[in-house]
Amino acid sequence: MKKLSGIPVSDGIAIGRVLKLVKKEHTVEAYTIREEDVDREIGRFTDALNKVSCQIQALYESTKQKLNEEEAGIFAAHLSVAEDPMIEDGVKDRVRDERMNVEQALKLTLDEIEELFAALDDEYLRERAADVRDVGGQIMDCLLGTASLDLSFLPYPCIIAAKDLTPSETMSMDFSKTMGFMTEQGGRTSHTAIISRSLEVPAVVGIGPMLDELEDGTWVIMDALDGTVIVNPDAGQIEFYKNRQEQYETGKRLLAELKDKPAETKDHAFFELCANIGNPGDADKVLDYGAEGIGLYRTEFLYMGNSHFPTEEEQFAAYKVVAEKMGDKPVIIRTLDIGGDKELPYYTFEHEENPFLGWRAIRICLDRVDVFKTQLRAILRAGAYGNLRIMYPMIISKEELMQANAILETCKGELRSEGVEFNPDIPVGIMVETPAAVAMADVLAKYADFFSIGTNDLCQYTLAVDRGNGKIADRYNPLHPAVLRSIKKVIDASHAQGKYTGMCGEFAGDERAAVLLAGFGLDEFSMTASSIPKIKKCIRGLQITEAKQIAMKALEAETIEEVETLIGYRK
Ligand code: PEP
Ligand code: MG
């Protein structure tokens, strides 16, 4: 028996036999070709590239069918890598100018691109390097005639063990026999992790060297709830984990049973539970989890997964799909929140020393009125097909809200004179995610129809702790009394004006927070759809009178530790 541990990225427990995926390393020979062979050599490359593009296109289509548009976006990105002149020109120039054989030319080109990406510390661009490696590896397979791993046939139900899995390998797998994935490399945000969560296949990544310890058929227990992997478990351990697996499955079933029950406390206080989405396709899943609406539709994915600023028609089509799917349930569409750590493949942002304090979100929209108006017109038009609401991100002042609303009014005027159908009464709210918006909440509440607290940013800006910096991750804690006091202040300010406050940051889906947020009087909780049942369970277990008392005490707490003690949570 041997115990390993890694990063759990997709919940579940798998007990089964391993199937090892060991990829053949490419052996690339280097030689000089003759002048008259240059065209033939380039032709080989073009054929391989075309073949790979067709394979990727097929994966794109099947992923869209099996999962949704968002996951399929990974393969849209692969297609753009395959079509990127960086690879094609790099290879052709080397073959032509240096008379290199095409395999060697491809290897050097890929190494060069990888080095280029590795030197950057931007996470988004590093992910693009993995895309280049994936696509480049496929082209190399074609050239060398090495078969890429055929995972569409798995000999037995198994837990796949690999050094790493590319999205293409993951998506071509026979899911009926895949009990889980475990990989030596990878992190929480790797594409494989994202895909495994969507497929609801348990996965543990970043385990470190393990393949040498395993044979095909080796029994393992993979606990993807806490990241433990037990190789060659004994009978007692198998018994223990079978129980744990059963408990987990029962819990999941129980939560599913709550789907159609209201988020109502024992003493009959009601809360609205909504979901956050990034793509129109996500709206189906949202209803399965019993969401009462969409509290945050992050529209930036529509911009990020595109090769150009999406047109009014493209946006209208996407928003209309969501509006119609959700019927009379509210859908809050957040206007473009780009900048910070979110970039666009077709637009170069000037380098900024502090991008999170820089040109992002509403600041960009107010400067690029053309881009903003295109989106507002699309939302107004789609508003005629459902219960849509507009929400501006990163607001710090009344002036910004007024300026954005003036642009919205211009759009309404234009649509009216064009005779285009739209909803003129669409409610307009703001995200409260800056300390400035908290301080001015009483003023902003007069002019906004609703608030939604973005705790992801509010926490980083209130505590001055970068939300993505692992080195200070233990300081990023929304249970900090400063964050809790801000939340309460915002809720009270909105209620004083007869408005409502939701929350769409991750804190809304945190079980520890439910008692405090309910006690503060938060009206709507919006979160990843799969978290809805567990938060509903928490709320249904509360007495609102008690929750209010605990929440009031939390406002007087002097430390995070005191808050944690109050809510019965200590690490
Ligand atoms: C937030 O800041 O809490 C939020 C929901 O916005 P995002 O995570 O997209 O920045
Ligand atoms: Mg935010």
Side-chain angles (χ1 to χ4, degrees):
M1 188 277 289
K2 180 161 182 152
K3 235 185 199 178
L4 304 167
S5 78
I7 309 163
V9 291
S10 177
D11 282 358
I13 294 172
I15 303 172
R17 289 182 299 153
V18 159
L19 181 71
K20 252 168 70 162
L21 296 184
V22 184
K23 289 178 229 184
K24 275 200 212 112
E25 294 292 327
H26 293 127
T27 317
V28 175
E29 285 179 34
Y31 53 90
T32 309
I33 57 165
R34 293 176 308 177
E35 168 92 56
E36 58 267 38
D37 291 335
V38 165
D39 286 344
R40 188 180 49 90
E41 201 69 356
I42 287 180
R44 284 178 59 220
F45 173 71
T46 311
D47 287 348
L49 190 61
N50 288 341
K51 195 169 161 205
V52 168
S53 295
C54 291
Q55 284 168 6
I56 300 174
Q57 184 67 40
L59 270 175
Y60 173 73
E61 298 299 339
S62 69
T63 308
K64 213 157 68 169
Q65 267 174 14
K66 282 187 214 164
L67 294 174
N68 57 41
E69 197 97 28
E70 188 182 353
E71 270 74 14
I74 294 170
F75 298 106
H78 280 193
L79 268 183
S80 59
V81 168
E83 284 159 9
D84 196 312
M86 219 169 12
I87 297 185
E88 190 168 355
D89 293 351
V91 173
K92 286 184 178 169
D93 289 351
R94 284 190 163 91
V95 173
R96 241 186 243 118
D97 305 341
E98 298 174 44
R99 301 269 182 76
M100 233 176 231
N101 62 314
V102 72
E103 292 83 358
Q104 170 75 345
L106 177 63
K107 183 179 180 308
L108 291 180
T109 305
L110 293 174
D111 288 350
E112 189 180 270
I113 299 175
E114 266 197 51
E115 250 175 59
L116 210 80
F117 281 122
L120 305 166
D121 26 64
D122 182 296
E123 197 179 335
Y124 173 78
L125 289 175
R126 271 205 305 274
E127 271 182 28
R128 307 270 323 193
D131 293 342
V132 172
R133 210 172 311 127
D134 190 343
V135 174
Q138 292 180 58
I139 304 174
M140 192 66 93
D141 275 334
C142 267
L143 288 170
L144 293 173
T146 40
S148 41
L149 287 171
D150 181 10
L151 307 175
S152 60
F153 173 77
L154 299 174
Y156 51 87
C158 57
I159 297 170
I160 307 272
K163 187 168 173 193
D164 200 3
L165 287 167
T166 64
S168 335
E169 287 159 355
T170 315
M171 272 320 292
S172 57
M173 231 168 244
D174 174 1
F175 296 117
S176 68
K177 293 211 183 104
T178 308
M179 302 167 77
F181 305 127
M182 43 194 241
T183 61
E184 291 186 338
Q185 299 177 348
R188 247 205 104 66
T189 55
S190 63
H191 284 143
T192 305
I194 294 170
I195 291 179
S196 58
R197 279 197 289 278
S198 296
L199 292 166
E200 298 186 10
V201 174
V204 178
V205 302
I207 298 173
M210 65 165 174
L211 291 171
D212 291 346
E213 321 255 352
L214 303 171
E215 298 293 335
D216 279 347
T218 303
W219 277 89
V220 295
I221 294 170
M222 189 185 76
D223 182 344
L225 300 176
D226 70 2
T228 304
V229 174
I230 303 176
V231 182
N232 288 320
D234 59 34
Q237 284 169 321
I238 291 184
E239 182 69 21
F240 174 84
Y241 277 95
K242 273 195 171 153
N243 279 335
R244 184 164 153 84
Q245 192 180 37
E246 213 175 285
Q247 268 171 22
Y248 169 73
E249 296 297 339
T250 313
K252 240 172 90 171
R253 263 199 308 278
L254 203 151
L255 293 177
E257 279 165 23
L258 293 174
K259 182 184 150 209
D260 299 317
K261 303 227 165 76
E264 177 188 6
T265 63
K266 288 181 184 161
D267 44 354
H268 313 302
F270 288 85
F271 296 90
E272 204 179 332
L273 299 191
C274 295
N276 295 348
I277 65 165
N279 283 290
D282 301 342
D284 300 323
K285 246 194 193 151
V286 156
L287 293 171
D288 291 345
Y289 283 106
E292 293 167 85
I294 288 170
L296 170 65
Y297 176 0
R298 287 184 164 98
T299 56
E300 51 272 18
F301 290 109
L302 194 61
Y303 291 72
M304 288 158 76
N306 226 317
S307 56
H308 54 269
F309 279 105
T311 62
E312 182 178 321
E313 288 313 313
E314 285 167 339
Q315 296 193 53
F316 168 65
Y319 306 151
K320 181 167 171 270
V321 165
V322 180
E324 289 182 334
K325 271 189 191 163
M326 297 302 289
D328 58 2
K329 293 187 169 64
V331 175
I332 299 178
I333 303 193
R334 176 173 76 182
T335 57
L336 182 59
D337 184 4
I338 207 77
D341 61 345
K342 297 176 202 150
E343 300 187 350
L344 296 177
Y346 46 87
Y347 184 85
T348 312
F349 288 85
E350 266 176 45
H351 172 76
E352 294 181 308
E353 287 303 325
N354 288 303
F356 270 112
L357 303 180
W359 201 55
R360 64 171 291 205
I362 195 70
R363 301 168 185 186
I364 296 182
C365 290
L366 293 178
D367 288 352
R368 285 288 309 262
V369 176
D370 54 331
V371 171
F372 196 30
K373 274 175 70 181
T374 304
Q375 180 168 43
L376 292 175
R377 284 173 58 102
I379 304 174
L380 285 166
R381 287 174 55 197
Y385 296 85
N387 185 359
L388 298 191
R389 295 168 193 186
I390 293 177
M391 176 161 74
Y392 306 133
M394 280 291 291
I395 291 287
I396 58 166
S397 64
K398 174 185 161 185
E399 293 93 312
E400 282 180 344
L401 172 56
M402 294 291 124
Q403 226 180 315
N405 275 345
I407 298 170
L408 182 68
E409 287 309 311
T410 308
C411 293
K412 288 183 191 172
E414 284 175 6
L415 291 170
R416 212 171 275 123
S417 60
E418 290 162 24
V420 178
E421 191 186 16
F422 71 101
N423 175 9
D425 303 315
I426 203 157
V428 181
I430 61 164
M431 287 201 68
V432 179
E433 50 185 345
T434 62
V438 174
M440 299 299 287
D442 53 338
V443 173
L444 293 167
K446 288 194 251 173
Y447 306 101
D449 292 323
F450 63 89
F451 286 158
S452 184
I453 305 178
T455 46
N456 306 342
D457 277 318
L458 184 60
C459 187
Q460 84 163 341
Y461 294 133
T462 303
L463 304 179
V465 176
D466 181 344
R467 68 195 254 187
N469 185 341
K471 221 168 168 181
I472 46 173
D474 57 340
R475 287 187 161 82
Y476 181 93
N477 191 340
L479 290 176
H480 191 300
V483 180
L484 299 182
R485 288 176 190 204
S486 298
I487 293 171
K488 177 64 173 153
K489 183 173 156 72
V490 173
I491 296 171
D492 287 351
S494 70
H495 290 176
Q497 293 294 332
K499 312 284 173 68
Y500 75 89
T501 293
M503 179 179 287
C504 57
E506 292 302 305
F507 201 42
D510 186 333
E511 287 161 287
R512 299 170 305 162
V515 61
L516 297 174
L517 300 177
F520 289 158
L522 185 74
D523 301 289
E524 173 239 4
F525 297 57
S526 192
M527 64 203 81
T528 308
S530 58
S531 297
I532 291 176
K534 76 176 187 206
I535 296 301
K536 194 181 277 184
K537 188 163 181 249
C538 287
I539 290 177
R540 290 177 65 85
L542 294 177
Q543 291 277 1
I544 194 66
T545 42
E546 245 176 68
K548 279 185 181 160
Q549 282 166 9
I550 295 173
M552 287 313 117
K553 282 192 190 142
L555 292 176
E556 284 157 24
E558 296 182 359
T559 61
I560 292 174
E561 201 175 321
E562 280 177 42
V563 175
E564 288 177 340
T565 308
L566 265 172
I567 58 178
Y569 170 84
R570 293 292 297 130
K571 264 186 245 166

